[in-house]
Amino acid sequence: MGAAFQEAAGLTALHAADAVILDTEQRITDALGPERSAQLRDLLDELIATLAPE
């Protein structure tokens, strides 16, 4: 496979992953509402910072 094909395949995979992430975030927001969804995001950010500090 050529480099251009691999790059295109990689971009396709990234776009597919972005779509899954956006769908998941929307489903969470729909289920929890915007305020609780934001609280969840803040808690997850805090957890990540604690478990994997830079």
Side-chain angles (χ1 to χ4, degrees), residues 7-46:
E7 183 177 342
L11 288 174
T12 299
L14 286 174
H15 290 300
D18 285 344
V20 169
I21 291 166
L22 288 172
D23 179 62
T24 302
E25 288 177 341
Q26 186 60 54
R27 292 173 66 191
I28 290 169
T29 300
D30 291 346
L32 298 179
E35 185 176 322
R36 290 179 66 208
S37 179
Q39 290 173 338
L40 176 60
R41 162 109 27 210
D42 291 343
L43 287 170
L44 291 172
D45 288 343
E46 185 179 334

